[in-house]
Amino acid sequence: MKKLLTCFSVVLIMSILLVTVFFLKSEQKNASPYVDVLQGNRQFCDATSGRYLYFSELKEVITPDDLPLNVQKFCLIDLTQSGRNDLVLQFSFAENQTAGFVVLHCQDDIVYSYTLSHRSMSELKGDGTFIFSGGASNWGIGKLILSKDGFSVDEISYCSDSSYFVDKVSATREEFENEIVLQNAKESAEWLNFTNGPVKIYAQNYLQAPAE
């Protein structure tokens, strides 16, 4: 168990360093609070419990079970159209199997965290909308509403027990299905691997950049 925890800690530290370099090299707006959290220089507040934690304690807001946590990907995106980016982390408990997401959102100079299952926010698009699912007869297009106390899904176009809605107005099944086609055609959110791929390239560019 100690060896497993040690390996997880080493991988987490290396991942934090690489992702931090991405923020330093990119011109993404308002990224600095998340850099501080990733580096362990700043705590975040779990919106559900109100607990303040460091990034090394991230697993505590996800699951109480003794499972190996793997943060796979991340993206910076304005989920609430507030003009300020949020940091979304995609995680799994097994390699190549997405379990859910942790959203970091800065409000009133406090970074809050929200944990969502994969079915709660799949197929994230560049405008912050996504597909949510509560079952075969309850799913659709939504966006997040984030507050200090938690999150909710603003259901925009959806079906519920054989009733259909487009832009929150009653619609036919065909109208709803057409809306899903339009949603699928939107540009997807830009995801980067948390530990390799593009992040390594950013790291190499940063480390090889001449001093100013």
Side-chain angles (χ1 to χ4, degrees), residues 129-149:
T129 59
F130 51 83
I131 297 295
F132 69 88
S133 176
S137 61
N138 184 15
W139 67 281
I141 304 165
K143 61 182 179 181
L144 282 182
I145 299 175
L146 304 176
S147 72
K148 299 177 181 179
D149 302 315

Side-chain angles (χ1 to χ4, degrees), residues 27-38:
E27 295 181 355
Q28 301 284 0
K29 56 187 175 183
N30 309 120
S32 58
Y34 308 125
V35 172
D36 292 339
V37 169
L38 290 173

Side-chain angles (χ1 to χ4, degrees), residues 26 78 103 108 126 146 174:
S26 69
D78 184 358
V103 174
D108 298 330
L146 304 176
E174 182 179 6

Side-chain angles (χ1 to χ4, degrees), residues 67-86:
L67 297 171
L69 174 68
N70 176 33
V71 178
Q72 298 171 308
K73 298 181 180 181
F74 74 98
C75 74
L76 276 171
I77 183 171
D78 184 358
L79 291 172
T80 59
Q81 288 75 54
S82 64
R84 187 179 197 121
N85 277 331
D86 305 292

Side-chain angles (χ1 to χ4, degrees), residues 70-123:
N70 176 33
V71 178
Q72 298 171 308
K73 298 181 180 181
F74 74 98
C75 74
L76 276 171
I77 183 171
D78 184 358
L79 291 172
T80 59
Q81 288 75 54
S82 64
R84 187 179 197 121
N85 277 331
D86 305 292
L87 174 63
V88 184
L89 303 173
Q90 176 184 301
F91 68 85
S92 70
F93 297 118
E95 189 174 358
N96 298 324
Q97 181 179 344
T98 302
F101 307 92
V102 172
V103 174
L104 296 182
H105 170 75
C106 191
Q107 181 177 341
D108 298 330
D109 204 36
I110 297 175
V111 177
Y112 293 92
S113 76
Y114 313 82
T115 304
L116 292 81
S117 69
H118 181 254
R119 293 180 64 182
S120 297
M121 191 179 73
S122 64
E123 301 178 42

